[in-house]
Amino acid sequence: MNYNEVNIVNTETIMKQFDVNALVAKVIDAKGLTEEKFHALNEDYEYHLGDYSGAEDIKNIIKESYDNDEKFLIVSDPKLDNLFASIIVIRSLAKMKARFEIKYINKDEYMLKGNVIAIHDTLQFHNNQKNIHLEVETDLSLSTMAYVIMKEFVRDSYSIALASIANICTNVPLSYANRTLFKRAKEILEDKQYVVFERFMITPEKRNAQLLRSGNAYTTYHLSKMKNLLVNPLMNFLKDNDEKRWNALLSYFFNPNKIDSKLSKLALAITKFKTDDEKEYDESQVIEVTLDEIRIDEIKNLSETFEPYYDGFKRPLFILKNVVVTDRRRFDLAKGLEISFRTDHGLVKATAYNNPVTKLDIKVGDTISIVGTLTINAFSGLPGLSIVNMEKHN
């Protein structure tokens, strides 16, 4: 394996200086992060309604209309961001016990009667009878703007998840408040395990493994994984601006934990719209790691510290050298390979799926080296590596 291995020499110094664990310290050293840049990655930022022209006015008119028991009509374009923005609005109105109706309408909203919340290229509020025409000027995604306004009325953790996923599909910069939103959403998604997202995020290898034995399932919501398994298929599904598909997704995503065989079939059908995975990792360098450092808490902390990764700061690759195989198994007609290593703190897993390394003849007792990304095994819940490359030494 020909990789540029980073010479890591300041781990202990960085651990003390930055107050971080060994894995995080190694990444800081490899990426050459200063204290200022590192702390900027983890600072909490908030959205403030007054920062966005028109947002306060729309919030106030929604409150006034609600106080007067007036009905709302929500109209939207058939795009994923618009869909999630619509769901954020109507879920909030439903929790407020407000009267509302949502329609897929191609008419000009100026021709519609009553209080119209229009979600097109911008978020708007219209009432022709009262001559009210308001619009929010912002570079946020529509879903994030809907969340920023509606959280003034209702706190809904599911709305945070929807807004953050919309940021992925609109490619807004995941910095400052958008980065904070992603971190909160990731924590919520991994904790709540909403059924509507789990149907997409449970990978084929995890499904196949579940057929073999039970385990402590754990679904990770990494940026690249969400983009590949969830966002891209949904955007491709909606490409034709189809009203029937938009309405189907509206029903699908409104209740995040609804169990229904028809919804499961819909999700399975949408997964067929998946595109080729984007490489999430940085191939320019690898960082040496030991089995002792591959622990659940360490990996979770690594993810919490640096997610979301982005083009200028991709997920780091790690190299595990000269380790002895404790166990190995193949699954899904040999498309998948799982290798186990025994340590003082328990088992460490390394897995590959649809990767040429699955063809290697690996046996118990073999000494191997692995290059991959650190992860928590999606099926077993154990710490390990997602294998990018592997070499057998005997």
Side-chain angles (χ1 to χ4, degrees), residues 47 84 88 141 143-144 147 158-170 172 174 178-186 189 223 226 231:
Y47 299 103
F84 285 171
I88 289 169
S141 68
S143 299
T144 303
Y147 160 70
Y158 182 55
S159 293
I160 295 175
L162 291 174
S164 183
I165 293 169
N167 282 344
I168 299 172
C169 78
T170 54
V172 299
L174 294 180
N178 287 340
R179 186 176 183 84
T180 299
L181 182 74
F182 179 91
K183 286 177 174 288
R184 289 177 183 168
K186 184 176 185 296
L189 288 164
L223 173 61
M226 291 167 69
V231 172

Side-chain angles (χ1 to χ4, degrees), residues 6 24 90 104 106 128 149 156 171 177 186 188 191 201 224 238 243 248 260 331:
V6 184
V24 172
I90 63 175
Y104 176 103
N106 289 320
N128 293 313
I149 293 173
D156 181 19
N171 291 316
K186 184 176 185 296
I188 289 166
D191 177 54
M201 297 296 288
S224 58
L238 283 174
E243 178 181 356
D260 187 309
F331 57 90

Side-chain angles (χ1 to χ4, degrees), residues 242-256:
D242 185 276
E243 178 181 356
K244 185 177 179 181
R245 288 183 176 182
W246 189 88
N247 283 321
L249 288 183
L250 181 67
S251 298
Y252 179 88
F253 282 109
F254 181 76
N255 184 341

Side-chain angles (χ1 to χ4, degrees), residues 35-46:
E35 278 193 80
E36 182 181 3
K37 286 183 178 179
F38 173 73
H39 290 304
L41 289 174
N42 295 285
E43 190 169 342
D44 279 346
Y45 297 89
E46 296 292 341

Side-chain angles (χ1 to χ4, degrees), residues 13-179:
T13 302
I14 292 173
M15 287 174 67
K16 293 176 182 176
Q17 182 181 349
F18 289 71
D19 190 25
V20 294
N21 67 33
L23 286 182
V24 172
K26 286 184 174 184
V27 175
I28 291 171
D29 197 358
K31 300 289 186 181
L33 295 179
T34 63
E35 278 193 80
E36 182 181 3
K37 286 183 178 179
F38 173 73
H39 290 304
L41 289 174
N42 295 285
E43 190 169 342
D44 279 346
Y45 297 89
E46 296 292 341
Y47 299 103
H48 300 289
L49 205 61
D51 293 341
Y52 310 103
S53 176
E56 191 84 44
D57 293 334
I58 288 182
K59 186 267 290 186
N60 290 337
I61 195 64
I62 289 175
K63 184 179 186 308
E64 180 183 320
S65 304
Y66 169 71
D67 289 343
N68 293 330
D69 193 30
E70 297 175 9
K71 187 177 178 180
F72 298 91
L73 173 63
I74 296 90
V75 297
S76 170
D77 287 343
K79 298 174 185 174
L80 191 59
D81 183 22
N82 300 61
L83 172 75
F84 285 171
S86 301
I87 292 171
I88 289 169
V89 171
I90 63 175
R91 277 178 59 88
S92 299
L93 292 175
K95 289 190 174 190
M96 295 161 62
K97 296 186 170 18
R99 295 187 298 125
F100 69 89
E101 182 180 5
I102 181 165
K103 287 187 177 180
Y104 176 103
I105 295 178
N106 289 320
K107 281 185 187 176
D108 189 328
E109 54 273 2
Y110 287 89
M111 298 173 63
L112 300 172
K113 295 181 179 179
N115 298 311
V116 180
I117 298 175
I119 303 171
H120 297 312
D121 291 335
T122 58
L123 199 151
Q124 307 160 23
F125 184 100
H126 301 281
N127 187 307
N128 293 313
Q129 289 74 26
K130 298 179 181 179
N131 196 29
I132 298 172
H133 301 286
L134 303 172
E135 182 178 21
V136 181
E137 295 179 11
T138 176
D139 55 359
L140 298 178
S141 68
L142 294 168
S143 299
T144 303
M145 196 67 255
Y147 160 70
V148 171
I149 293 173
M150 299 311 294
K151 73 182 177 70
E152 298 292 315
F153 302 99
V154 172
R155 296 284 177 167
D156 181 19
S157 58
Y158 182 55
S159 293
I160 295 175
L162 291 174
S164 183
I165 293 169
N167 282 344
I168 299 172
C169 78
T170 54
N171 291 316
V172 299
L174 294 180
S175 54
Y176 302 107
N178 287 340
R179 186 176 183 84

